[in-house]
Amino acid sequence: MKQQHSQIFRTMLMVVMLFPAAAFAQSKVGTTAAQFLGNAIGPRAMAMGSAFVASNDDVTSIYWNPGAFVQANKSEFVFSNSDWLAGTKFRWFGLMLNFDSENAIGVTVTQLNYGEDDVTTVAMPDGTGEKWTAYDFAAGLSYSRRLTDKFSLGGTVKYVSQRIWNESASNVTFDLGLLFITDFNGMRLGMSMSNFGGDLTLDGKDLLHKLDATNAGSNQVLVGKLKTDAWPMPLLFRVGLAMDVVKNDMVRTTIAVDALRPNDNAESVNIGAELGWMDLVFVRGGYKSLISQESVFSKDLQQDGLSLGTGIKYGLKGLMSVEVNYAFTKFGLFGNLNTIAVSISF
């Protein structure tokens, strides 16, 4: 068993060390659909610079690494809300149920609401009296299993949908992840692949148009349909390390680093840290895209950056505790983001 753990650790560590070598490959920004699937989840992770793939004691780890949340040894529910870009609202619901020390399931719901606006035309630039809306939605079912006391893996199947007015697209994607706890001071090594699935193609009644089949243009019977292109999912690979450098009855200090390789953007590295006092009050900080193609060649292009946050946990009678977390994230030209979440453990 010890040799098996050693082999797993060496293989995963090699991937982590080789990953940054590809950090300056060609970027394919804006070439995938369902971009909301890449939005960071949870103020705790966001405050730590989104370096969270090797964390295993939070329900939001379902998003970052579905192979990790069985290690939490608890059940938990969370609701997270962000005032997102350009007045939009980004919300995430997560529930994990740990049945025993070896099996856990999770259910998640993600929603990005763009609000509504007036429908205008060339003939009626002030509005037709109608309203158009747009939103993104995803629902996932996850399973995580502990194979040994130090190694676990898991996966998520997600239904993904995007809609704008009368057009919509939907598909199914998959997430996979694993977590290994080393013998070196309990250092954790995590890996995940997110959003593996087919393409999205918008379809709806607004793509139907009447055709003029005669020179006089009097034929109002024939109907044509505009063709829309298919767009791939935002496939994302993450590898990361996390370790409690200080851990006693009073203080716990955790540091983390993640490397990311998306199929629609530049590779990057995130770092973060968390300081907890008596498992009651927490202070967090991090930096997203510390090393990336944009940060090296032009800081003006980089939108991600510094993040800060805090949290407080209050234990109730019995087995329940309530935790409130907040994150402040800088987002370049788009301003600052504020995220708050309330979670209940039982």
Side-chain angles (χ1 to χ4, degrees):
M1 183 66 69
K2 193 171 184 179
Q3 290 182 343
Q4 182 183 14
H5 285 162
S6 179
Q7 182 63 36
I8 293 172
F9 173 68
R10 285 197 298 267
T11 302
M12 295 178 66
L13 186 59
M14 184 179 298
V15 175
V16 174
M17 294 176 66
L18 292 176
F19 188 93
F24 304 115
Q26 181 181 4
S27 174
K28 298 181 180 180
V29 178
T31 58
T32 61
Q35 284 290 305
F36 76 104
L37 295 177
N39 291 355
I41 297 297
R44 184 184 175 200
M46 295 174 68
M48 295 177 64
S50 296
F52 216 68
V53 72
S55 296
N56 62 344
D57 57 351
D58 190 320
V59 62
T60 61
S61 61
I62 295 175
Y63 167 81
W64 299 97
N65 182 356
F69 70 95
V70 69
Q71 302 275 4
N73 294 321
K74 64 179 180 180
S75 297
E76 186 177 11
F77 169 80
V78 67
F79 167 66
S80 177
N81 180 74
S82 297
D83 293 325
W84 206 245
L85 307 179
T88 60
K89 298 289 186 180
F90 184 66
R91 299 182 176 94
W92 192 83
F93 304 84
L95 171 66
M96 68 176 182
L97 298 173
N98 270 277
F99 297 108
D100 50 40
S101 61
E102 296 182 353
N103 299 278
I105 63 170
V107 178
T108 59
V109 175
T110 308
Q111 183 189 47
L112 178 57
N113 192 329
Y114 298 89
E116 64 177 17
D117 204 349
D118 296 325
V119 176
T120 61
T121 64
V122 175
M124 305 181 70
D126 294 327
T128 64
E130 297 179 277
K131 298 283 187 180
W132 67 270
T133 60
Y135 66 87
D136 300 330
F137 174 83
L141 179 63
S142 305
Y143 173 71
S144 184
R145 179 173 176 81
R146 190 198 304 259
L147 299 181
T148 72
D149 60 335
K150 295 183 180 296
F151 181 66
S152 61
L153 54 78
T156 300
V157 56
K158 292 184 295 190
Y159 170 79
V160 180
S161 174
Q162 291 193 285
R163 174 177 289 275
I164 177 168
W165 201 11
N166 296 313
E167 276 62 61
S168 64
S170 60
N171 213 324
V172 175
T173 67
F174 300 90
D175 300 347
L176 297 173
L178 55 86
L179 183 77
F180 181 67
I181 303 175
T182 73
D183 293 324
F184 178 69
N185 201 34
M187 182 177 69
R188 302 176 295 277
L189 177 58
M191 300 176 62
S192 69
M193 177 188 70
S194 303
N195 310 319
F196 178 79
D199 298 342
L200 284 180
T201 305
L202 282 171
D203 194 9
K205 66 179 184 180
D206 291 326
L207 299 179
L208 301 175
H209 288 263
K210 294 179 180 180
L211 300 177
D212 287 337
T214 65
N215 292 331
S218 59
N219 192 322
Q220 299 296 318
V221 178
L222 297 179
V223 176
K225 187 176 184 179
L226 298 178
K227 181 181 180 296
T228 57
D229 290 334
W231 294 82
M233 289 292 184
L235 188 64
L236 176 60
F237 295 91
R238 294 185 180 96
V239 293
L241 299 169
M243 185 172 65
D244 299 330
V245 293
V246 177
K247 187 175 182 180
N248 53 52
D249 293 338
M250 292 289 294
V251 177
R252 178 172 60 87
T253 302
T254 304
I255 58 173
V257 57
D258 282 9
L260 291 75
R261 186 168 191 177
N263 68 339
D264 61 349
N265 210 326
E267 291 82 1
S268 61
V269 174
N270 304 333
I271 62 171
E274 178 184 61
L275 173 63
W277 179 73
M278 297 187 67
D279 199 33
L280 178 65
V281 179
F282 304 89
V283 178
R284 308 176 181 106
Y287 203 96
K288 191 175 181 181
S289 301
L290 176 68
I291 302 175
S292 68
Q293 188 173 7
E294 283 82 0
S295 64
V296 171
F297 293 107
S298 175
K299 290 187 177 181
D300 294 336
L301 296 176
Q302 186 180 356
Q303 301 303 313
D304 296 319
L306 179 69
S307 58
L308 300 169
T310 185
I312 185 169
K313 181 188 294 185
Y314 182 76
L316 303 176
K317 291 183 178 180
L319 301 176
M320 182 179 294
S321 67
V322 177
E323 187 171 354
V324 179
N325 290 304
Y326 166 79
F328 167 86
T329 310
K330 296 189 68 174
F331 212 84
L333 297 175
F334 296 97
N336 303 321
L337 303 179
N338 296 283
T339 304
I340 190 169
V342 178
S343 61
I344 300 175
S345 302
F346 53 95

